[in-house]
Amino acid sequence: MWKKAVVATACAVLVLSLGYTAVTTSSAAGEKITVVGKNFTEQDIMAYLVGRLLEEKLDVPVEVKSYLGGTDVAFGAMKSGNADVYVEYTGTGYVNILNKEAASDPQQVYDEVKQAFAERYRMDWLEPIGFNNTYALAVSQETAKRYGLKKVSDLRPVAGELVFGTNQEFLDRPDGMPGLTKTYDLNFKDVKSMDAGLKYTALNSGQVQLIDAYSTDGRLIQNNLVLLEDDKHFFPPYYAAPLVRQDALEQYPDMRDTLNLLAGKIDEQEMAELNAKVDVEKQQAKSVAEEWLKKEGLIE
């Protein structure tokens, strides 16, 4: 089983008012589920996926307000009651919301956020969807074959021949470069700081041989890169799961079982493929979500 402080309620209400409705159905006042999503592709897909599934299974009007903002805005909307559900990441709940030190045990992180959110915020973490959107190290197919790279530990004897390309944030954070090099005893030929969008170009052109990435980034699929297994489990777990207000679960008793239909359904590879459909193929997140739900037999 298996990302800072919450802004004022007024801010969340203001941002929510700027969202858009994915599903519109006339209903009695209060008879509506509001799904929100953060401001990046994966969350856009997840918001529509959750919203469409709830609409189909519960026969309740569902409003989707995607690209709402960062964690503070999405979580603030939940706290204020202006949102009922969104997909959050266990590591984000653990580190950014509960302000705990990063931990590496996925089950421990899930159990702690589940208990704490229920007690402090009257919110329930449901079953994880399956994918872990955490940091990962990526190399080209050619580099993987040349040096026999399958896992991060394989880098140790060859690190002195490799240039690492990364953004400044990864260089500074303890769960980034400092901890990585210490845990795996790595000493790279050089480390180049660059804008996140330039890392893939630098890798493809041979300026660097290794980059950091997010494990569900669609550009991994686009560039046919190899993700190295984090065999010492250094990177913290960021498993995605529906986070739901308990009031909503009480109002709609079938909501829990409906959202748990997503449990374990999407791994990192498939989530990267879904993200690539939006980021690379320029499909609409709403269409990608609906197509996936139909493929899985979850909606008609």
Side-chain angles (χ1 to χ4, degrees):
M1 199 194 301
W2 335 152
K3 245 171 181 245
K4 258 169 188 185
V6 178
V7 297
T9 296
C11 180
V13 172
L14 174 62
V15 178
L16 270 167
S17 69
L18 301 177
Y20 52 90
T21 303
V23 181
T24 54
T25 310
S26 59
S27 64
E31 296 278 330
K32 178 180 72 174
I33 296 173
T34 300
V35 182
V36 299
K38 303 186 202 181
N39 54 351
F40 56 95
T41 296
E42 183 168 289
Q43 283 275 306
D44 200 14
I45 295 171
M46 286 293 105
Y48 280 115
L49 195 150
V50 166
R52 184 68 181 86
L53 180 62
L54 290 172
E55 180 200 33
E56 176 86 4
K57 298 296 185 181
L58 301 188
D59 194 27
V60 173
V62 176
E63 188 173 29
V64 174
K65 296 181 180 292
S66 190
Y67 263 83
L68 198 61
T71 298
D72 51 355
V73 178
F75 187 64
M78 292 281 286
K79 286 185 65 177
S80 68
N82 287 290
D84 299 304
V85 54
Y86 79 109
V87 172
E88 188 51 281
Y89 305 89
T90 54
T92 303
Y94 193 83
V95 175
N96 300 101
I97 297 177
L98 298 180
N99 295 313
K100 291 178 173 285
E101 291 293 327
S104 60
D105 186 324
Q107 190 66 55
Q108 171 201 337
V109 172
Y110 178 84
D111 290 343
E112 290 195 31
V113 295
K114 185 172 180 66
Q115 179 177 350
F117 275 64
E119 295 173 351
R120 299 184 193 183
Y121 307 116
R122 281 186 49 80
M123 297 180 197
D124 199 353
W125 287 80
L126 303 188
E127 295 289 331
I129 297 169
F131 63 91
N132 179 20
N133 185 359
T134 190
Y135 277 117
L137 302 186
V139 298
S140 67
Q141 293 281 346
E142 180 184 2
T143 297
K145 292 177 182 177
R146 178 179 178 182
Y147 295 102
L149 303 178
K150 294 182 179 180
K151 54 186 186 295
V152 179
S153 289
D154 294 334
L155 289 170
R156 183 180 178 185
V158 301
E161 301 179 45
L162 307 177
V163 179
F164 193 115
T166 183
N167 56 357
Q168 190 62 45
E169 181 183 4
F170 188 83
L171 289 175
D172 294 337
R173 42 188 302 158
D175 59 346
M177 185 65 77
L180 175 71
T181 53
K182 181 178 180 180
T183 299
Y184 284 98
D185 190 19
L186 300 174
N187 187 16
F188 294 106
K189 177 181 180 180
D190 193 12
V191 176
K192 293 186 177 182
S193 177
M194 57 187 65
D195 182 83
L198 298 177
K199 291 187 297 185
Y200 292 89
T201 301
L203 186 64
N204 287 332
S205 67
Q207 297 178 57
V208 302
Q209 290 76 49
L210 175 74
I211 63 171
D212 68 292
Y214 290 110
S215 56
T216 60
D217 193 332
R219 289 171 294 185
L220 297 170
I221 302 298
Q222 179 187 21
N223 293 280
N224 193 27
L225 302 183
V226 175
L227 282 185
L228 302 183
E229 178 193 349
D230 181 16
D231 51 308
K232 292 189 177 182
H233 307 288
F234 165 70
F235 294 120
Y238 284 86
Y239 284 88
L243 180 62
V244 192
R245 292 175 58 248
Q246 290 179 4
D247 288 348
L249 291 172
E250 291 167 3
Q251 183 175 3
Y252 305 103
D254 293 334
M255 193 172 179
R256 181 187 303 274
D257 287 344
T258 296
L259 292 178
N260 280 339
L261 292 172
L262 301 174
K265 288 284 189 179
I266 306 177
D267 61 14
E268 290 84 359
Q269 174 75 15
E270 185 166 22
M271 192 65 242
E273 291 172 356
L274 295 177
N275 286 332
K277 289 185 177 184
V278 177
D279 290 333
V280 179
E281 300 175 19
K282 305 306 179 183
Q283 296 184 33
Q284 295 296 310
K286 180 179 180 181
S287 300
V288 171
E290 180 130 353
E291 179 185 21
W292 183 86
L293 288 166
K294 288 180 178 178
K295 176 178 71 73
E296 293 294 321
L298 294 175
I299 65 171
E300 296 181 358

